[in-house]
């Protein structure tokens, strides 16, 4: 190999190394962990993303950090109240009127939730390797509404969840009753208003700059009203109230025609 060829090869290698070094220099250095200020901003962004009708399952999963059932999603096109069969099943069993009514009723619940929701980050608690944001929340009693919705749907339906997942006709029956439950509860949306503006506090904690998925999911529940005293299912008073509501709703369901 002559000197000219060696020089060209060396020059090319040097140029490649220079490009690599410059490219690395242009990339922002990733911090080992988020600062308290960055965590506070991240919490704000996550809350904003969780409390918009633009929310979908992929966004929700990315915020939580793992796959979770959509029963935890209160807003957007993938919310639990919008669960429905496939387009094929809807067409086969002429369910379009149910789909339209479902969307109308789910949107009303969604709006109640958004109109009632207020929150503010009250305090940053820095414990070195763990930084927590204390958030004060006032919300619609959506968690209580969802509890009653699930209870009513299940009690109006002869098939179980497993049957609905594997049997087409059972799925259709379950879906029709879920829309009927929405219709029954539509007359009681005022009953789930947080008229006293009751507040709860919940902490979002980041350890070494990362948030725990269970912690984030718990915060989602707090935004939806799971931490209110009326959601203490172990309370005998709450159990009796739930039974009374269910009995009333089941009676009203007899007069619902779709």
């Amino acid at each position: 190999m002559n000197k000219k060829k060696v020089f060209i090869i060396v020059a090319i290698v040097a140029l490649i190394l220079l490009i690599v070094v410059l490219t690395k220099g242009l990339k922002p250095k990733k911090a080992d962990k988020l600062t308290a200020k960055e965590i506070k901003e991240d919490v704000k962004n996550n809350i904003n993303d969780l409390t918009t009708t633009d929310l979908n399952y992929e966004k929700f999963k990315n915020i939580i950090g793992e796959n979770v059932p959509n029963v935890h999603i209160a807003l957007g096109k993938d919310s639990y109240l919008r669960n429905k069969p496939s387009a094929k099943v809807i067409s086969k069993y002429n369910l379009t009127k149910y789909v339209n009514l479902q969307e109308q009723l789910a949107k009303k619940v969604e709006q109640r939730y958004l109109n009632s929701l207020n929150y503010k980050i009250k305090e940053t608690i820095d414990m070195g390797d763990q930084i927590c944001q204390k958030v004060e929340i006032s919300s619609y009693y959506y968690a209580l509404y969802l509890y009653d919705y699930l209870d009513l749907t299940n009690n109006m339906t002869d098939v179980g969840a497993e049957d609905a997942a594997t049997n087409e006709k059972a799925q259709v029956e379950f879906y029709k009753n879920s829309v009927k439950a929405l219709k029954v509860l539509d007359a009681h949306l005022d009953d789930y208003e947080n008229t006293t503006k009751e507040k709860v506090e919940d902490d979002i904690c980041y350890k070494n700059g990362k948030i725990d998925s269970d912690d984030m999911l718990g915060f989602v529940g707090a935004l939806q009203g799971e931490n209110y005293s009326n959601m203490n299912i172990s309370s005998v008073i709450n159990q009796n109230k739930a039974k009374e509501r269910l009995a009333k709703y089941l009676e009203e369901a007899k007069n619902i025609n779709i």
Side-chain angles (χ1 to χ4, degrees), residues 8 37 118:
I8 292 172
K37 184 178 180 181
N118 284 290

Side-chain angles (χ1 to χ4, degrees), residues 4 15 22 33 35 45 98 116-117 146 163 193 216 220-221 226 255 257:
K4 185 176 181 181
L15 180 61
L22 289 175
K33 62 179 182 178
T35 64
N45 291 335
Y98 284 89
S116 297
L117 183 63
L146 183 64
D163 293 326
E193 286 286 355
M216 195 64 206
V220 169
E226 285 185 8
N255 300 316
N257 293 310

Side-chain angles (χ1 to χ4, degrees), residues 198-216:
E198 182 183 1
K199 296 179 177 67
V200 294
E201 289 184 352
D202 197 59
D203 294 341
I204 307 180
C205 295
Y206 288 65
K207 190 167 186 179
N208 295 321
K210 296 181 180 180
I211 189 168
D212 180 74
S213 294
D214 290 339
D215 195 25
M216 195 64 206

Side-chain angles (χ1 to χ4, degrees), residues 2 8 30 37 47 64 74 110 130 139 147 208 213 252:
N2 59 41
I8 292 172
K30 190 174 181 180
K37 184 178 180 181
I47 295 176
I64 301 302
E110 188 176 68
Q130 182 168 283
S139 175
Y147 177 89
N208 295 321
S213 294
E252 292 176 10

Side-chain angles (χ1 to χ4, degrees), residues 6-147:
V6 171
F7 176 79
I8 292 172
I9 292 171
V10 171
I12 291 172
V13 171
L15 180 61
I16 292 171
L17 289 172
L18 179 62
I19 291 171
V20 170
V21 170
L22 289 175
T23 302
K24 285 184 176 180
L26 291 172
K27 289 181 179 178
K29 185 180 179 183
K30 190 174 181 180
D32 292 331
K33 62 179 182 178
L34 298 175
T35 64
K37 184 178 180 181
E38 289 171 331
I39 286 175
K40 186 173 183 179
E41 194 61 31
D42 194 52
V43 168
K44 286 181 180 177
N45 291 335
N46 282 337
I47 295 176
N48 287 337
D49 289 341
L50 287 167
T51 55
T52 172
T53 55
D54 291 331
L55 183 66
N56 59 38
Y57 184 78
E58 281 304 311
K59 290 180 182 178
F60 187 81
K61 183 179 72 173
N62 289 337
I63 294 170
I64 301 302
E66 61 181 26
N67 292 325
V68 290
N70 83 320
V71 70
H72 299 287
I73 304 179
L75 301 167
K77 67 183 184 67
D78 296 326
S79 66
Y80 186 80
L81 298 186
R82 288 183 169 89
N83 279 1
K84 53 184 172 287
S86 67
K88 180 181 177 181
V89 172
I90 290 170
S91 175
K92 181 178 177 180
Y93 290 90
N94 300 314
L95 299 175
T96 303
K97 65 178 179 179
Y98 284 89
V99 174
N100 292 338
L101 180 59
Q102 176 190 28
E103 176 60 27
Q104 174 191 331
L105 298 175
K107 192 173 289 186
K108 289 176 70 174
V109 179
E110 188 176 68
Q111 202 56 55
R112 290 271 185 156
Y113 172 55
L114 287 174
N115 288 346
S116 297
L117 183 63
N118 284 290
Y119 57 86
K120 65 178 179 180
I121 297 176
K122 292 188 65 178
E123 184 183 2
T124 299
I125 306 166
D126 193 337
M127 296 174 283
D129 65 338
Q130 182 168 283
I131 298 175
C132 300
Q133 300 292 331
K134 186 175 290 295
V135 185
E136 183 182 79
I137 303 164
S138 179
S139 175
Y140 188 67
Y141 293 137
Y142 175 81
L144 186 65
Y145 171 92
L146 183 64
Y147 177 89

